[in-house]
PDB file of all heavy atoms in Angstrom:
ATOM      1  N   PRO S   1       4.408  14.082  20.957  1.00 86.00           N
ATOM      2  CA  PRO S   1       3.341  14.063  21.986  1.00 86.00           C
ATOM      3  C   PRO S   1       2.631  12.709  22.043  1.00 86.00           C
ATOM      4  O   PRO S   1       2.679  11.909  21.104  1.00 86.00           O
ATOM      5  CB  PRO S   1       2.388  15.178  21.521  1.00 86.00           C
ATOM      6  CG  PRO S   1       3.204  16.035  20.622  1.00 86.00           C
ATOM      7  CD  PRO S   1       4.192  15.121  19.955  1.00 86.00           C
ATOM      8  N   LYS S   2       1.952  12.464  23.135  1.00 87.00           N
ATOM      9  CA  LYS S   2       1.278  11.180  23.323  1.00 87.00           C
ATOM     10  C   LYS S   2       0.084  11.010  22.379  1.00 87.00           C
ATOM     11  O   LYS S   2      -0.200   9.899  21.947  1.00 87.00           O
ATOM     12  CB  LYS S   2       0.811  11.043  24.781  1.00 87.00           C
ATOM     13  CG  LYS S   2       1.965  10.901  25.758  1.00 87.00           C
ATOM     14  CD  LYS S   2       1.436  10.691  27.180  1.00 87.00           C
ATOM     15  CE  LYS S   2       2.593  10.515  28.157  1.00 87.00           C
ATOM     16  NZ  LYS S   2       2.110  10.307  29.550  1.00 87.00           N
ATOM     17  N   PHE S   3      -0.614  12.098  22.074  1.00 89.00           N
ATOM     18  CA  PHE S   3      -1.796  11.969  21.228  1.00 89.00           C
ATOM     19  C   PHE S   3      -1.450  11.669  19.768  1.00 89.00           C
ATOM     20  O   PHE S   3      -2.339  11.406  18.958  1.00 89.00           O
ATOM     21  CB  PHE S   3      -2.650  13.249  21.309  1.00 89.00           C
ATOM     22  CG  PHE S   3      -1.962  14.484  20.809  1.00 89.00           C
ATOM     23  CD1 PHE S   3      -1.964  14.817  19.469  1.00 89.00           C
ATOM     24  CD2 PHE S   3      -1.296  15.317  21.702  1.00 89.00           C
ATOM     25  CE1 PHE S   3      -1.339  15.957  19.016  1.00 89.00           C
ATOM     26  CE2 PHE S   3      -0.663  16.462  21.252  1.00 89.00           C
ATOM     27  CZ  PHE S   3      -0.676  16.778  19.910  1.00 89.00           C
ATOM     28  N   VAL S   4      -0.151  11.687  19.438  1.00 89.00           N
ATOM     29  CA  VAL S   4       0.274  11.392  18.066  1.00 89.00           C
ATOM     30  C   VAL S   4       0.496   9.893  17.866  1.00 89.00           C
ATOM     31  O   VAL S   4       0.541   9.417  16.733  1.00 89.00           O
ATOM     32  CB  VAL S   4       1.555  12.192  17.732  1.00 89.00           C
ATOM     33  CG1 VAL S   4       2.009  11.941  16.304  1.00 89.00           C
ATOM     34  CG2 VAL S   4       1.318  13.688  17.933  1.00 89.00           C
ATOM     35  N   GLN S   5       0.627   9.113  18.923  1.00 86.00           N
ATOM     36  CA  GLN S   5       0.924   7.687  18.814  1.00 86.00           C
ATOM     37  C   GLN S   5      -0.102   6.923  17.980  1.00 86.00           C
ATOM     38  O   GLN S   5       0.263   6.124  17.114  1.00 86.00           O
ATOM     39  CB  GLN S   5       1.034   7.070  20.216  1.00 86.00           C
ATOM     40  CG  GLN S   5       2.183   7.616  21.058  1.00 86.00           C
ATOM     41  CD  GLN S   5       3.537   7.269  20.469  1.00 86.00           C
ATOM     42  OE1 GLN S   5       3.684   6.279  19.749  1.00 86.00           O
ATOM     43  NE2 GLN S   5       4.530   8.098  20.769  1.00 86.00           N
ATOM     44  N   PRO S   6      -1.447   7.111  18.168  1.00 88.00           N
ATOM     45  CA  PRO S   6      -2.409   6.391  17.301  1.00 88.00           C
ATOM     46  C   PRO S   6      -2.275   6.758  15.823  1.00 88.00           C
ATOM     47  O   PRO S   6      -2.446   5.898  14.947  1.00 88.00           O
ATOM     48  CB  PRO S   6      -3.776   6.813  17.867  1.00 88.00           C
ATOM     49  CG  PRO S   6      -3.504   7.236  19.256  1.00 88.00           C
ATOM     50  CD  PRO S   6      -2.140   7.846  19.238  1.00 88.00           C
ATOM     51  N   HIS S   7      -1.929   7.995  15.558  1.00 90.00           N
ATOM     52  CA  HIS S   7      -1.790   8.416  14.165  1.00 90.00           C
ATOM     53  C   HIS S   7      -0.540   7.799  13.515  1.00 90.00           C
ATOM     54  O   HIS S   7      -0.525   7.564  12.300  1.00 90.00           O
ATOM     55  CB  HIS S   7      -1.729   9.938  14.088  1.00 90.00           C
ATOM     56  CG  HIS S   7      -2.968  10.615  14.605  1.00 90.00           C
ATOM     57  ND1 HIS S   7      -4.124  10.723  13.851  1.00 90.00           N
ATOM     58  CD2 HIS S   7      -3.244  11.179  15.820  1.00 90.00           C
ATOM     59  CE1 HIS S   7      -5.058  11.358  14.553  1.00 90.00           C
ATOM     60  NE2 HIS S   7      -4.539  11.652  15.756  1.00 90.00           N
ATOM     61  N   ILE S   8       0.479   7.531  14.304  1.00 90.00           N
ATOM     62  CA  ILE S   8       1.674   6.853  13.775  1.00 90.00           C
ATOM     63  C   ILE S   8       1.303   5.452  13.308  1.00 90.00           C
ATOM     64  O   ILE S   8       1.720   4.995  12.233  1.00 90.00           O
ATOM     65  CB  ILE S   8       2.772   6.805  14.849  1.00 90.00           C
ATOM     66  CG1 ILE S   8       3.252   8.219  15.181  1.00 90.00           C
ATOM     67  CG2 ILE S   8       3.943   5.950  14.375  1.00 90.00           C
ATOM     68  CD1 ILE S   8       4.253   8.278  16.323  1.00 90.00           C
ATOM     69  N   ARG S   9       0.487   4.755  14.113  1.00 90.00           N
ATOM     70  CA  ARG S   9       0.044   3.408  13.719  1.00 90.00           C
ATOM     71  C   ARG S   9      -0.786   3.462  12.442  1.00 90.00           C
ATOM     72  O   ARG S   9      -0.619   2.621  11.540  1.00 90.00           O
ATOM     73  CB  ARG S   9      -0.763   2.781  14.862  1.00 90.00           C
ATOM     74  CG  ARG S   9      -1.246   1.367  14.572  1.00 90.00           C
ATOM     75  CD  ARG S   9      -2.040   0.826  15.736  1.00 90.00           C
ATOM     76  NE  ARG S   9      -3.179   1.677  16.029  1.00 90.00           N
ATOM     77  CZ  ARG S   9      -4.343   1.632  15.361  1.00 90.00           C
ATOM     78  NH1 ARG S   9      -4.487   0.799  14.343  1.00 90.00           N
ATOM     79  NH2 ARG S   9      -5.328   2.431  15.695  1.00 90.00           N
ATOM     80  N   LEU S  10      -1.652   4.444  12.313  1.00 92.00           N
ATOM     81  CA  LEU S  10      -2.475   4.568  11.113  1.00 92.00           C
ATOM     82  C   LEU S  10      -1.618   4.911   9.882  1.00 92.00           C
ATOM     83  O   LEU S  10      -1.893   4.438   8.776  1.00 92.00           O
ATOM     84  CB  LEU S  10      -3.536   5.649  11.332  1.00 92.00           C
ATOM     85  CG  LEU S  10      -4.621   5.337  12.369  1.00 92.00           C
ATOM     86  CD1 LEU S  10      -5.526   6.548  12.566  1.00 92.00           C
ATOM     87  CD2 LEU S  10      -5.435   4.121  11.945  1.00 92.00           C
ATOM     88  N   ARG S  11      -0.599   5.688  10.080  1.00 91.00           N
ATOM     89  CA  ARG S  11       0.278   6.029   8.955  1.00 91.00           C
ATOM     90  C   ARG S  11       1.047   4.806   8.462  1.00 91.00           C
ATOM     91  O   ARG S  11       1.202   4.599   7.248  1.00 91.00           O
ATOM     92  CB  ARG S  11       1.257   7.130   9.372  1.00 91.00           C
ATOM     93  CG  ARG S  11       2.077   7.673   8.212  1.00 91.00           C
ATOM     94  CD  ARG S  11       3.092   8.701   8.650  1.00 91.00           C
ATOM     95  NE  ARG S  11       4.184   8.108   9.407  1.00 91.00           N
ATOM     96  CZ  ARG S  11       4.441   8.390  10.673  1.00 91.00           C
ATOM     97  NH1 ARG S  11       3.687   9.247  11.339  1.00 91.00           N
ATOM     98  NH2 ARG S  11       5.450   7.815  11.291  1.00 91.00           N
ATOM     99  N   ILE S  12       1.525   3.982   9.380  1.00 92.00           N
ATOM    100  CA  ILE S  12       2.233   2.753   8.986  1.00 92.00           C
ATOM    101  C   ILE S  12       1.286   1.805   8.255  1.00 92.00           C
ATOM    102  O   ILE S  12       1.646   1.177   7.241  1.00 92.00           O
ATOM    103  CB  ILE S  12       2.849   2.085  10.224  1.00 92.00           C
ATOM    104  CG1 ILE S  12       3.931   2.991  10.830  1.00 92.00           C
ATOM    105  CG2 ILE S  12       3.438   0.728   9.859  1.00 92.00           C
ATOM    106  CD1 ILE S  12       4.483   2.492  12.140  1.00 92.00           C
ATOM    107  N   GLU S  13       0.062   1.700   8.747  1.00 94.00           N
ATOM    108  CA  GLU S  13      -0.923   0.835   8.092  1.00 94.00           C
ATOM    109  C   GLU S  13      -1.236   1.343   6.682  1.00 94.00           C
ATOM    110  O   GLU S  13      -1.352   0.547   5.737  1.00 94.00           O
ATOM    111  CB  GLU S  13      -2.193   0.795   8.946  1.00 94.00           C
ATOM    112  CG  GLU S  13      -3.263  -0.161   8.428  1.00 94.00           C
ATOM    113  CD  GLU S  13      -4.485  -0.194   9.316  1.00 94.00           C
ATOM    114  OE1 GLU S  13      -4.433   0.427  10.405  1.00 94.00           O
ATOM    115  OE2 GLU S  13      -5.490  -0.822   8.918  1.00 94.00           O
ATOM    116  N   LYS S  14      -1.361   2.631   6.516  1.00 94.00           N
ATOM    117  CA  LYS S  14      -1.621   3.195   5.194  1.00 94.00           C
ATOM    118  C   LYS S  14      -0.463   2.928   4.240  1.00 94.00           C
ATOM    119  O   LYS S  14      -0.666   2.609   3.054  1.00 94.00           O
ATOM    120  CB  LYS S  14      -1.861   4.695   5.337  1.00 94.00           C
ATOM    121  CG  LYS S  14      -2.170   5.399   4.034  1.00 94.00           C
ATOM    122  CD  LYS S  14      -2.390   6.881   4.256  1.00 94.00           C
ATOM    123  CE  LYS S  14      -2.657   7.601   2.937  1.00 94.00           C
ATOM    124  NZ  LYS S  14      -2.860   9.067   3.147  1.00 94.00           N
ATOM    125  N   HIS S  15       0.749   3.025   4.751  1.00 94.00           N
ATOM    126  CA  HIS S  15       1.929   2.765   3.917  1.00 94.00           C
ATOM    127  C   HIS S  15       1.965   1.307   3.449  1.00 94.00           C
ATOM    128  O   HIS S  15       2.267   1.025   2.279  1.00 94.00           O
ATOM    129  CB  HIS S  15       3.187   3.107   4.709  1.00 94.00           C
ATOM    130  CG  HIS S  15       4.454   2.732   4.018  1.00 94.00           C
ATOM    131  ND1 HIS S  15       4.937   3.383   2.893  1.00 94.00           N
ATOM    132  CD2 HIS S  15       5.360   1.742   4.279  1.00 94.00           C
ATOM    133  CE1 HIS S  15       6.060   2.834   2.499  1.00 94.00           C
ATOM    134  NE2 HIS S  15       6.342   1.834   3.317  1.00 94.00           N
ATOM    135  N   LEU S  16       1.648   0.383   4.348  1.00 96.00           N
ATOM    136  CA  LEU S  16       1.656  -1.038   3.964  1.00 96.00           C
ATOM    137  C   LEU S  16       0.558  -1.350   2.951  1.00 96.00           C
ATOM    138  O   LEU S  16       0.770  -2.134   2.016  1.00 96.00           O
ATOM    139  CB  LEU S  16       1.502  -1.902   5.211  1.00 96.00           C
ATOM    140  CG  LEU S  16       2.663  -1.850   6.221  1.00 96.00           C
ATOM    141  CD1 LEU S  16       2.337  -2.672   7.456  1.00 96.00           C
ATOM    142  CD2 LEU S  16       3.952  -2.345   5.577  1.00 96.00           C
ATOM    143  N   ARG S  17      -0.606  -0.757   3.111  1.00 96.00           N
ATOM    144  CA  ARG S  17      -1.678  -0.976   2.136  1.00 96.00           C
ATOM    145  C   ARG S  17      -1.294  -0.428   0.758  1.00 96.00           C
ATOM    146  O   ARG S  17      -1.574  -1.057  -0.275  1.00 96.00           O
ATOM    147  CB  ARG S  17      -2.956  -0.304   2.628  1.00 96.00           C
ATOM    148  CG  ARG S  17      -3.644  -1.028   3.785  1.00 96.00           C
ATOM    149  CD  ARG S  17      -4.918  -0.304   4.189  1.00 96.00           C
ATOM    150  NE  ARG S  17      -5.607  -1.023   5.268  1.00 96.00           N
ATOM    151  CZ  ARG S  17      -6.728  -0.589   5.850  1.00 96.00           C
ATOM    152  NH1 ARG S  17      -7.279   0.554   5.428  1.00 96.00           N
ATOM    153  NH2 ARG S  17      -7.281  -1.288   6.812  1.00 96.00           N
ATOM    154  N   GLU S  18      -0.665   0.721   0.731  1.00 96.00           N
ATOM    155  CA  GLU S  18      -0.232   1.289  -0.549  1.00 96.00           C
ATOM    156  C   GLU S  18       0.816   0.408  -1.216  1.00 96.00           C
ATOM    157  O   GLU S  18       0.817   0.227  -2.443  1.00 96.00           O
ATOM    158  CB  GLU S  18       0.335   2.694  -0.305  1.00 96.00           C
ATOM    159  CG  GLU S  18       0.671   3.467  -1.561  1.00 96.00           C
ATOM    160  CD  GLU S  18      -0.555   3.908  -2.322  1.00 96.00           C
ATOM    161  OE1 GLU S  18      -1.653   3.935  -1.726  1.00 96.00           O
ATOM    162  OE2 GLU S  18      -0.405   4.227  -3.527  1.00 96.00           O
ATOM    163  N   LYS S  19       1.696  -0.156  -0.415  1.00 96.00           N
ATOM    164  CA  LYS S  19       2.728  -1.047  -0.960  1.00 96.00           C
ATOM    165  C   LYS S  19       2.110  -2.309  -1.565  1.00 96.00           C
ATOM    166  O   LYS S  19       2.498  -2.741  -2.666  1.00 96.00           O
ATOM    167  CB  LYS S  19       3.714  -1.405   0.154  1.00 96.00           C
ATOM    168  CG  LYS S  19       4.919  -2.185  -0.305  1.00 96.00           C
ATOM    169  CD  LYS S  19       5.878  -2.418   0.851  1.00 96.00           C
ATOM    170  CE  LYS S  19       7.090  -3.219   0.400  1.00 96.00           C
ATOM    171  NZ  LYS S  19       8.031  -3.451   1.539  1.00 96.00           N
ATOM    172  N   VAL S  20       1.142  -2.901  -0.865  1.00 96.00           N
ATOM    173  CA  VAL S  20       0.477  -4.104  -1.385  1.00 96.00           C
ATOM    174  C   VAL S  20      -0.322  -3.776  -2.644  1.00 96.00           C
ATOM    175  O   VAL S  20      -0.359  -4.558  -3.600  1.00 96.00           O
ATOM    176  CB  VAL S  20      -0.417  -4.712  -0.290  1.00 96.00           C
ATOM    177  CG1 VAL S  20      -1.264  -5.848  -0.859  1.00 96.00           C
ATOM    178  CG2 VAL S  20       0.427  -5.220   0.862  1.00 96.00           C
ATOM    179  N   ARG S  21      -0.965  -2.612  -2.673  1.00 97.00           N
ATOM    180  CA  ARG S  21      -1.753  -2.228  -3.845  1.00 97.00           C
ATOM    181  C   ARG S  21      -0.867  -2.059  -5.079  1.00 97.00           C
ATOM    182  O   ARG S  21      -1.222  -2.492  -6.184  1.00 97.00           O
ATOM    183  CB  ARG S  21      -2.496  -0.923  -3.564  1.00 97.00           C
ATOM    184  CG  ARG S  21      -3.493  -0.522  -4.649  1.00 97.00           C
ATOM    185  CD  ARG S  21      -4.139   0.808  -4.317  1.00 97.00           C
ATOM    186  NE  ARG S  21      -3.165   1.883  -4.398  1.00 97.00           N
ATOM    187  CZ  ARG S  21      -2.793   2.484  -5.537  1.00 97.00           C
ATOM    188  NH1 ARG S  21      -3.326   2.092  -6.696  1.00 97.00           N
ATOM    189  NH2 ARG S  21      -1.923   3.461  -5.516  1.00 97.00           N
ATOM    190  N   LYS S  22       0.304  -1.469  -4.917  1.00 96.00           N
ATOM    191  CA  LYS S  22       1.225  -1.303  -6.044  1.00 96.00           C
ATOM    192  C   LYS S  22       1.740  -2.650  -6.537  1.00 96.00           C
ATOM    193  O   LYS S  22       1.893  -2.855  -7.748  1.00 96.00           O
ATOM    194  CB  LYS S  22       2.391  -0.412  -5.628  1.00 96.00           C
ATOM    195  CG  LYS S  22       2.019   1.048  -5.461  1.00 96.00           C
ATOM    196  CD  LYS S  22       3.244   1.888  -5.105  1.00 96.00           C
ATOM    197  CE  LYS S  22       2.864   3.361  -4.968  1.00 96.00           C
ATOM    198  NZ  LYS S  22       4.040   4.201  -4.610  1.00 96.00           N
ATOM    199  N   ALA S  23       2.012  -3.571  -5.613  1.00 96.00           N
ATOM    200  CA  ALA S  23       2.486  -4.894  -6.020  1.00 96.00           C
ATOM    201  C   ALA S  23       1.414  -5.645  -6.802  1.00 96.00           C
ATOM    202  O   ALA S  23       1.703  -6.285  -7.829  1.00 96.00           O
ATOM    203  CB  ALA S  23       2.914  -5.694  -4.793  1.00 96.00           C
ATOM    204  N   ASN S  24       0.154  -5.577  -6.340  1.00 96.00           N
ATOM    205  CA  ASN S  24      -0.934  -6.248  -7.062  1.00 96.00           C
ATOM    206  C   ASN S  24      -1.156  -5.616  -8.436  1.00 96.00           C
ATOM    207  O   ASN S  24      -1.417  -6.319  -9.421  1.00 96.00           O
ATOM    208  CB  ASN S  24      -2.221  -6.177  -6.243  1.00 96.00           C
ATOM    209  CG  ASN S  24      -2.141  -6.996  -4.966  1.00 96.00           C
ATOM    210  OD1 ASN S  24      -1.389  -7.973  -4.893  1.00 96.00           O
ATOM    211  ND2 ASN S  24      -2.909  -6.613  -3.961  1.00 96.00           N
ATOM    212  N   LEU S  25      -1.057  -4.289  -8.521  1.00 96.00           N
ATOM    213  CA  LEU S  25      -1.221  -3.623  -9.811  1.00 96.00           C
ATOM    214  C   LEU S  25      -0.124  -4.020 -10.787  1.00 96.00           C
ATOM    215  O   LEU S  25      -0.381  -4.216 -11.991  1.00 96.00           O
ATOM    216  CB  LEU S  25      -1.232  -2.112  -9.602  1.00 96.00           C
ATOM    217  CG  LEU S  25      -1.451  -1.242 -10.849  1.00 96.00           C
ATOM    218  CD1 LEU S  25      -2.820  -1.535 -11.460  1.00 96.00           C
ATOM    219  CD2 LEU S  25      -1.326   0.233 -10.504  1.00 96.00           C
ATOM    220  N   LYS S  26       1.063  -4.197 -10.281  1.00 94.00           N
ATOM    221  CA  LYS S  26       2.164  -4.623 -11.146  1.00 94.00           C
ATOM    222  C   LYS S  26       1.947  -6.041 -11.665  1.00 94.00           C
ATOM    223  O   LYS S  26       2.200  -6.344 -12.841  1.00 94.00           O
ATOM    224  CB  LYS S  26       3.483  -4.530 -10.380  1.00 94.00           C
ATOM    225  CG  LYS S  26       4.704  -4.804 -11.213  1.00 94.00           C
ATOM    226  CD  LYS S  26       5.971  -4.618 -10.392  1.00 94.00           C
ATOM    227  CE  LYS S  26       7.208  -4.896 -11.233  1.00 94.00           C
ATOM    228  NZ  LYS S  26       8.460  -4.716 -10.437  1.00 94.00           N
ATOM    229  N   LYS S  27       1.452  -6.921 -10.801  1.00 94.00           N
ATOM    230  CA  LYS S  27       1.178  -8.297 -11.226  1.00 94.00           C
ATOM    231  C   LYS S  27       0.064  -8.337 -12.269  1.00 94.00           C
ATOM    232  O   LYS S  27       0.147  -9.088 -13.257  1.00 94.00           O
ATOM    233  CB  LYS S  27       0.794  -9.148 -10.012  1.00 94.00           C
ATOM    234  CG  LYS S  27       1.952  -9.435  -9.075  1.00 94.00           C
ATOM    235  CD  LYS S  27       1.488 -10.294  -7.912  1.00 94.00           C
ATOM    236  CE  LYS S  27       2.644 -10.580  -6.961  1.00 94.00           C
ATOM    237  NZ  LYS S  27       2.210 -11.397  -5.798  1.00 94.00           N
ATOM    238  N   GLN S  28      -0.972  -7.545 -12.070  1.00 94.00           N
ATOM    239  CA  GLN S  28      -2.062  -7.526 -13.040  1.00 94.00           C
ATOM    240  C   GLN S  28      -1.606  -6.990 -14.393  1.00 94.00           C
ATOM    241  O   GLN S  28      -1.988  -7.521 -15.447  1.00 94.00           O
ATOM    242  CB  GLN S  28      -3.210  -6.666 -12.499  1.00 94.00           C
ATOM    243  CG  GLN S  28      -3.918  -7.263 -11.295  1.00 94.00           C
ATOM    244  CD  GLN S  28      -4.972  -6.333 -10.721  1.00 94.00           C
ATOM    245  OE1 GLN S  28      -5.227  -5.264 -11.283  1.00 94.00           O
ATOM    246  NE2 GLN S  28      -5.577  -6.734  -9.600  1.00 94.00           N
ATOM    247  N   THR S  29      -0.780  -5.954 -14.379  1.00 92.00           N
ATOM    248  CA  THR S  29      -0.260  -5.414 -15.639  1.00 92.00           C
ATOM    249  C   THR S  29       0.609  -6.423 -16.357  1.00 92.00           C
ATOM    250  O   THR S  29       0.531  -6.583 -17.585  1.00 92.00           O
ATOM    251  CB  THR S  29       0.533  -4.136 -15.359  1.00 92.00           C
ATOM    252  OG1 THR S  29      -0.276  -3.218 -14.620  1.00 92.00           O
ATOM    253  CG2 THR S  29       0.993  -3.486 -16.648  1.00 92.00           C
ATOM    254  N   GLN S  30       1.431  -7.164 -15.599  1.00 90.00           N
ATOM    255  CA  GLN S  30       2.277  -8.189 -16.204  1.00 90.00           C
ATOM    256  C   GLN S  30       1.444  -9.317 -16.795  1.00 90.00           C
ATOM    257  O   GLN S  30       1.741  -9.822 -17.894  1.00 90.00           O
ATOM    258  CB  GLN S  30       3.248  -8.733 -15.145  1.00 90.00           C
ATOM    259  CG  GLN S  30       4.283  -9.702 -15.672  1.00 90.00           C
ATOM    260  CD  GLN S  30       5.324  -9.021 -16.522  1.00 90.00           C
ATOM    261  OE1 GLN S  30       5.499  -7.806 -16.461  1.00 90.00           O
ATOM    262  NE2 GLN S  30       6.025  -9.795 -17.325  1.00 90.00           N
ATOM    263  N   ALA S  31       0.380  -9.689 -16.106  1.00 90.00           N
ATOM    264  CA  ALA S  31      -0.482 -10.759 -16.620  1.00 90.00           C
ATOM    265  C   ALA S  31      -1.199 -10.327 -17.898  1.00 90.00           C
ATOM    266  O   ALA S  31      -1.332 -11.108 -18.850  1.00 90.00           O
ATOM    267  CB  ALA S  31      -1.494 -11.161 -15.554  1.00 90.00           C
ATOM    268  N   LYS S  32      -1.658  -9.072 -17.969  1.00 90.00           N
ATOM    269  CA  LYS S  32      -2.313  -8.580 -19.177  1.00 90.00           C
ATOM    270  C   LYS S  32      -1.357  -8.532 -20.359  1.00 90.00           C
ATOM    271  O   LYS S  32      -1.715  -8.880 -21.489  1.00 90.00           O
ATOM    272  CB  LYS S  32      -2.898  -7.201 -18.912  1.00 90.00           C
ATOM    273  CG  LYS S  32      -4.106  -7.199 -17.994  1.00 90.00           C
ATOM    274  CD  LYS S  32      -4.639  -5.801 -17.784  1.00 90.00           C
ATOM    275  CE  LYS S  32      -5.836  -5.789 -16.839  1.00 90.00           C
ATOM    276  NZ  LYS S  32      -6.350  -4.406 -16.608  1.00 90.00           N
ATOM    277  N   LEU S  33      -0.107  -8.111 -20.110  1.00 88.00           N
ATOM    278  CA  LEU S  33       0.872  -8.060 -21.192  1.00 88.00           C
ATOM    279  C   LEU S  33       1.211  -9.454 -21.701  1.00 88.00           C
ATOM    280  O   LEU S  33       1.362  -9.676 -22.910  1.00 88.00           O
ATOM    281  CB  LEU S  33       2.139  -7.351 -20.699  1.00 88.00           C
ATOM    282  CG  LEU S  33       2.026  -5.834 -20.456  1.00 88.00           C
ATOM    283  CD1 LEU S  33       3.310  -5.308 -19.821  1.00 88.00           C
ATOM    284  CD2 LEU S  33       1.754  -5.108 -21.757  1.00 88.00           C
ATOM    285  N   GLU S  34       1.335 -10.432 -20.799  1.00 87.00           N
ATOM    286  CA  GLU S  34       1.627 -11.801 -21.219  1.00 87.00           C
ATOM    287  C   GLU S  34       0.451 -12.406 -21.991  1.00 87.00           C
ATOM    288  O   GLU S  34       0.652 -13.217 -22.894  1.00 87.00           O
ATOM    289  CB  GLU S  34       1.960 -12.650 -19.992  1.00 87.00           C
ATOM    290  CG  GLU S  34       3.300 -12.281 -19.347  1.00 87.00           C
ATOM    291  CD  GLU S  34       3.569 -13.118 -18.118  1.00 87.00           C
ATOM    292  OE1 GLU S  34       2.683 -13.938 -17.765  1.00 87.00           O
ATOM    293  OE2 GLU S  34       4.646 -12.957 -17.514  1.00 87.00           O
ATOM    294  N   GLU S  35      -0.771 -12.026 -21.607  1.00 88.00           N
ATOM    295  CA  GLU S  35      -1.939 -12.529 -22.338  1.00 88.00           C
ATOM    296  C   GLU S  35      -2.040 -11.915 -23.734  1.00 88.00           C
ATOM    297  O   GLU S  35      -2.435 -12.580 -24.694  1.00 88.00           O
ATOM    298  CB  GLU S  35      -3.200 -12.215 -21.538  1.00 88.00           C
ATOM    299  CG  GLU S  35      -4.475 -12.756 -22.161  1.00 88.00           C
ATOM    300  CD  GLU S  35      -5.696 -12.418 -21.336  1.00 88.00           C
ATOM    301  OE1 GLU S  35      -5.512 -11.809 -20.256  1.00 88.00           O
ATOM    302  OE2 GLU S  35      -6.809 -12.769 -21.773  1.00 88.00           O
ATOM    303  N   ARG S  36      -1.631 -10.644 -23.844  1.00 87.00           N
ATOM    304  CA  ARG S  36      -1.709  -9.977 -25.144  1.00 87.00           C
ATOM    305  C   ARG S  36      -0.534 -10.335 -26.040  1.00 87.00           C
ATOM    306  O   ARG S  36      -0.687 -10.454 -27.261  1.00 87.00           O
ATOM    307  CB  ARG S  36      -1.767  -8.472 -24.921  1.00 87.00           C
ATOM    308  CG  ARG S  36      -2.005  -7.667 -26.190  1.00 87.00           C
ATOM    309  CD  ARG S  36      -2.182  -6.204 -25.874  1.00 87.00           C
ATOM    310  NE  ARG S  36      -2.409  -5.426 -27.088  1.00 87.00           N
ATOM    311  CZ  ARG S  36      -2.571  -4.104 -27.113  1.00 87.00           C
ATOM    312  NH1 ARG S  36      -2.550  -3.425 -25.960  1.00 87.00           N
ATOM    313  NH2 ARG S  36      -2.757  -3.481 -28.249  1.00 87.00           N
TER     314      ARG S  36
END
């Protein structure tokens, strides 16, 4: 339906934010392990 189109955009945006958050968390964990 047409009213679902805005929600599709929001779902894609949420997916990209989750992907970036996981990548940053992985980098922070790697940096802590290298420091320790």
Side-chain angles (χ1 to χ4, degrees):
K2 291 183 179 180
F3 63 85
V4 181
Q5 296 295 334
H7 298 281
I8 295 175
R9 181 180 58 81
L10 292 175
R11 188 183 71 244
I12 295 173
E13 184 179 353
K14 181 180 178 181
H15 173 71
L16 294 176
R17 286 181 178 178
E18 187 71 19
K19 187 176 179 180
V20 172
R21 188 182 68 82
K22 288 182 179 180
N24 293 333
L25 182 62
K26 186 177 180 180
K27 289 181 180 179
Q28 292 175 4
T29 306
Q30 186 71 19
K32 289 180 181 179
L33 289 174
E34 291 178 357
E35 183 180 357
R36 186 175 180 181

